[in-house]
Short mmCIF file of all heavy atoms in Angstrom, two decimals:
data_model
loop_
_atom_site.label_atom_id
_atom_site.label_comp_id
_atom_site.label_asym_id
_atom_site.label_seq_id
_atom_site.Cartn_x
_atom_site.Cartn_y
_atom_site.Cartn_z
N VAL E 1 5.63 5.01 7.44
CA VAL E 1 4.12 5.42 7.57
C VAL E 1 3.59 5.84 6.23
O VAL E 1 2.45 5.44 5.91
CB VAL E 1 3.99 6.45 8.64
CG1 VAL E 1 2.54 6.98 8.69
CG2 VAL E 1 4.25 5.89 9.97
N GLN E 2 4.32 6.63 5.51
CA GLN E 2 3.92 7.05 4.19
C GLN E 2 3.70 5.91 3.19
O GLN E 2 2.61 5.90 2.53
CB GLN E 2 4.86 7.99 3.63
CG GLN E 2 4.51 8.64 2.22
CD GLN E 2 3.44 9.77 2.44
OE1 GLN E 2 3.20 10.22 3.53
NE2 GLN E 2 2.78 10.13 1.26
N ALA E 3 4.59 4.98 3.24
CA ALA E 3 4.43 3.77 2.48
C ALA E 3 3.23 2.89 2.85
O ALA E 3 2.56 2.32 2.05
CB ALA E 3 5.77 2.91 2.55
N LEU E 4 2.94 2.89 4.17
CA LEU E 4 1.83 2.18 4.59
C LEU E 4 0.45 2.75 4.10
O LEU E 4 -0.38 2.14 3.66
CB LEU E 4 1.77 2.13 6.08
CG LEU E 4 0.52 1.54 6.83
CD1 LEU E 4 0.30 0.12 6.36
CD2 LEU E 4 0.65 1.56 8.34
N LEU E 5 0.37 4.20 4.28
CA LEU E 5 -0.78 4.82 3.73
C LEU E 5 -1.03 4.69 2.28
O LEU E 5 -2.07 4.41 1.78
CB LEU E 5 -0.69 6.32 4.04
CG LEU E 5 -0.95 6.72 5.54
CD1 LEU E 5 -0.52 8.12 5.84
CD2 LEU E 5 -2.42 6.53 5.90
N THR E 6 0.02 4.67 1.57
CA THR E 6 -0.01 4.47 0.11
C THR E 6 -0.55 3.01 -0.29
O THR E 6 -1.34 2.89 -1.17
CB THR E 6 1.43 4.71 -0.59
OG1 THR E 6 1.84 6.09 -0.33
CG2 THR E 6 1.35 4.46 -2.10
N ALA E 7 -0.07 2.13 0.57
CA ALA E 7 -0.42 0.71 0.34
C ALA E 7 -2.00 0.55 0.60
O ALA E 7 -2.60 -0.23 -0.07
CB ALA E 7 0.47 -0.25 1.26
N ILE E 8 -2.40 1.20 1.59
CA ILE E 8 -3.87 1.22 2.03
C ILE E 8 -4.63 1.61 0.84
O ILE E 8 -5.56 0.96 0.34
CB ILE E 8 -4.10 1.98 3.25
CG1 ILE E 8 -3.45 1.30 4.40
CG2 ILE E 8 -5.60 2.20 3.48
CD1 ILE E 8 -3.58 2.08 5.75
N VAL E 9 -4.34 2.84 0.33
CA VAL E 9 -5.11 3.43 -0.70
C VAL E 9 -4.99 2.52 -2.00
O VAL E 9 -6.01 2.32 -2.76
CB VAL E 9 -4.61 4.87 -1.09
CG1 VAL E 9 -5.12 5.33 -2.35
CG2 VAL E 9 -5.05 5.76 0.00
N GLU E 10 -3.77 2.02 -2.28
CA GLU E 10 -3.63 1.16 -3.46
C GLU E 10 -4.42 -0.10 -3.41
O GLU E 10 -4.77 -0.70 -4.33
CB GLU E 10 -2.10 0.88 -3.62
CG GLU E 10 -1.69 0.20 -5.00
CD GLU E 10 -2.29 0.84 -6.20
OE1 GLU E 10 -2.39 2.07 -6.25
OE2 GLU E 10 -2.76 0.20 -7.12
N SER E 11 -4.59 -0.60 -2.12
CA SER E 11 -5.39 -1.81 -1.92
C SER E 11 -6.84 -1.61 -2.37
O SER E 11 -7.47 -2.50 -2.96
CB SER E 11 -5.39 -2.15 -0.41
OG SER E 11 -4.07 -2.54 -0.07
N PHE E 12 -7.36 -0.50 -2.16
CA PHE E 12 -8.69 -0.10 -2.57
C PHE E 12 -8.73 0.21 -4.04
O PHE E 12 -9.57 -0.31 -4.86
CB PHE E 12 -9.23 1.10 -1.80
CG PHE E 12 -9.53 0.84 -0.36
CD1 PHE E 12 -8.87 1.62 0.55
CD2 PHE E 12 -10.30 -0.30 0.03
CE1 PHE E 12 -9.17 1.35 1.90
CE2 PHE E 12 -10.44 -0.57 1.35
CZ PHE E 12 -9.89 0.25 2.46
N ARG E 13 -7.86 1.05 -4.54
CA ARG E 13 -7.80 1.49 -5.92
C ARG E 13 -7.61 0.21 -6.80
O ARG E 13 -8.18 0.20 -7.83
CB ARG E 13 -6.66 2.42 -6.15
CG ARG E 13 -6.63 3.09 -7.60
CD ARG E 13 -5.50 4.07 -7.70
NE ARG E 13 -5.78 5.37 -6.98
CZ ARG E 13 -4.95 5.88 -6.10
NH1 ARG E 13 -3.83 5.27 -5.74
NH2 ARG E 13 -5.27 7.08 -5.42
N SER E 14 -6.79 -0.70 -6.39
CA SER E 14 -6.56 -1.85 -7.33
C SER E 14 -7.81 -2.74 -7.55
O SER E 14 -7.80 -3.58 -8.43
CB SER E 14 -5.44 -2.67 -6.77
OG SER E 14 -5.81 -3.26 -5.51
N GLN E 15 -8.81 -2.55 -6.63
CA GLN E 15 -10.06 -3.40 -6.83
C GLN E 15 -10.93 -2.90 -7.79
O GLN E 15 -11.94 -3.50 -8.19
CB GLN E 15 -10.77 -3.45 -5.43
CG GLN E 15 -9.90 -3.94 -4.27
CD GLN E 15 -9.41 -5.33 -4.42
OE1 GLN E 15 -10.24 -6.24 -4.73
NE2 GLN E 15 -8.17 -5.68 -4.32
N LEU E 16 -10.66 -1.73 -8.29
CA LEU E 16 -11.57 -0.99 -9.29
C LEU E 16 -11.04 -1.00 -10.76
O LEU E 16 -9.78 -0.94 -10.86
CB LEU E 16 -11.77 0.51 -8.82
CG LEU E 16 -12.38 0.78 -7.41
CD1 LEU E 16 -12.43 2.19 -7.16
CD2 LEU E 16 -13.76 0.14 -7.36
N PRO E 17 -11.89 -1.08 -11.61
CA PRO E 17 -11.53 -1.08 -13.06
C PRO E 17 -11.20 0.39 -13.50
O PRO E 17 -11.13 1.29 -12.66
CB PRO E 17 -12.75 -1.61 -13.76
CG PRO E 17 -13.93 -1.17 -12.91
CD PRO E 17 -13.38 -1.27 -11.48
N PRO E 18 -10.59 0.50 -14.63
CA PRO E 18 -10.29 1.75 -15.24
C PRO E 18 -11.40 2.82 -15.14
O PRO E 18 -12.63 2.41 -15.15
CB PRO E 18 -9.76 1.50 -16.70
CG PRO E 18 -9.43 0.15 -16.73
CD PRO E 18 -10.37 -0.64 -15.76
N LYS E 19 -11.06 4.11 -15.26
CA LYS E 19 -12.08 5.11 -15.22
C LYS E 19 -13.08 4.96 -16.41
O LYS E 19 -12.79 4.57 -17.50
CB LYS E 19 -11.39 6.44 -15.46
CG LYS E 19 -12.19 7.64 -15.56
CD LYS E 19 -11.46 8.95 -15.73
CE LYS E 19 -12.35 10.16 -16.01
NZ LYS E 19 -13.45 10.32 -15.00
N GLY E 20 -14.37 5.21 -16.04
CA GLY E 20 -15.36 5.04 -17.16
C GLY E 20 -16.11 3.77 -17.09
O GLY E 20 -17.08 3.58 -17.81
N ALA E 21 -15.60 2.72 -16.39
CA ALA E 21 -16.04 1.36 -16.36
C ALA E 21 -17.44 1.43 -15.54
O ALA E 21 -17.52 2.14 -14.55
CB ALA E 21 -15.14 0.35 -15.91
N PRO E 22 -18.40 0.54 -15.87
CA PRO E 22 -19.65 0.29 -15.13
C PRO E 22 -19.31 -0.29 -13.76
O PRO E 22 -18.54 -1.21 -13.60
CB PRO E 22 -20.42 -0.56 -15.98
CG PRO E 22 -19.43 -1.42 -16.75
CD PRO E 22 -18.36 -0.51 -17.05
N LEU E 23 -19.98 0.38 -12.75
CA LEU E 23 -19.82 -0.12 -11.34
C LEU E 23 -21.10 0.10 -10.53
O LEU E 23 -21.87 1.04 -10.72
CB LEU E 23 -18.66 0.66 -10.66
CG LEU E 23 -17.24 0.45 -10.97
CD1 LEU E 23 -16.37 1.45 -10.39
CD2 LEU E 23 -16.79 -0.99 -10.54
N PRO E 24 -21.41 -0.87 -9.64
CA PRO E 24 -22.53 -0.67 -8.64
C PRO E 24 -22.00 0.36 -7.60
O PRO E 24 -20.93 0.21 -7.14
CB PRO E 24 -22.83 -2.06 -8.17
CG PRO E 24 -21.54 -2.78 -8.16
CD PRO E 24 -20.86 -2.21 -9.50
N ILE E 25 -22.99 1.30 -7.24
CA ILE E 25 -22.35 2.29 -6.26
C ILE E 25 -23.40 2.34 -5.05
O ILE E 25 -23.29 3.33 -4.32
CB ILE E 25 -22.37 3.83 -6.97
CG1 ILE E 25 -23.60 4.04 -7.77
CG2 ILE E 25 -21.08 3.76 -7.74
CD1 ILE E 25 -24.70 4.66 -7.13
N ASN E 26 -24.17 1.36 -4.84
CA ASN E 26 -24.91 1.31 -3.51
C ASN E 26 -25.25 -0.26 -3.39
O ASN E 26 -25.02 -1.14 -4.24
CB ASN E 26 -26.17 2.08 -3.44
CG ASN E 26 -27.16 1.73 -4.66
OD1 ASN E 26 -27.13 0.65 -5.02
ND2 ASN E 26 -27.92 2.75 -5.07
N ASP E 27 -25.85 -0.62 -2.21
CA ASP E 27 -26.08 -2.03 -1.88
C ASP E 27 -27.09 -2.54 -2.77
O ASP E 27 -27.07 -3.84 -3.18
CB ASP E 27 -26.55 -2.10 -0.40
CG ASP E 27 -25.35 -1.81 0.56
OD1 ASP E 27 -24.27 -1.95 0.17
OD2 ASP E 27 -25.71 -1.50 1.74
N ARG E 28 -28.04 -1.86 -3.19
CA ARG E 28 -29.10 -2.43 -4.08
C ARG E 28 -28.57 -2.79 -5.46
O ARG E 28 -28.86 -3.86 -5.98
CB ARG E 28 -30.24 -1.44 -4.36
CG ARG E 28 -31.49 -1.96 -5.14
CD ARG E 28 -32.36 -0.86 -5.65
NE ARG E 28 -31.74 -0.17 -6.74
CZ ARG E 28 -31.75 -0.63 -8.03
NH1 ARG E 28 -32.26 -1.81 -8.26
NH2 ARG E 28 -31.22 0.05 -8.88
#
C-alpha cells in the first residue's frame, strides 16, 4: 500500500518540470 501511494504521487510529480519553471495554474 505504501508503494502504491508513492507511485500515485510520483505519477503527478513526474508530470511537472523542476522547481521555478513556468506553469499555468488555472484553466484560463
Side-chain angles (χ1 to χ4, degrees):
V1 172
Q2 183 77 14
L4 174 58
L5 285 166
T6 300
I8 289 172
V9 169
E10 187 54 36
S11 295
F12 294 127
R13 188 180 285 128
S14 64
Q15 302 299 306
L16 300 176
K19 177 177 172 55
L23 287 170
I25 45 85
N26 60 29
D27 289 339
R28 187 196 73 82

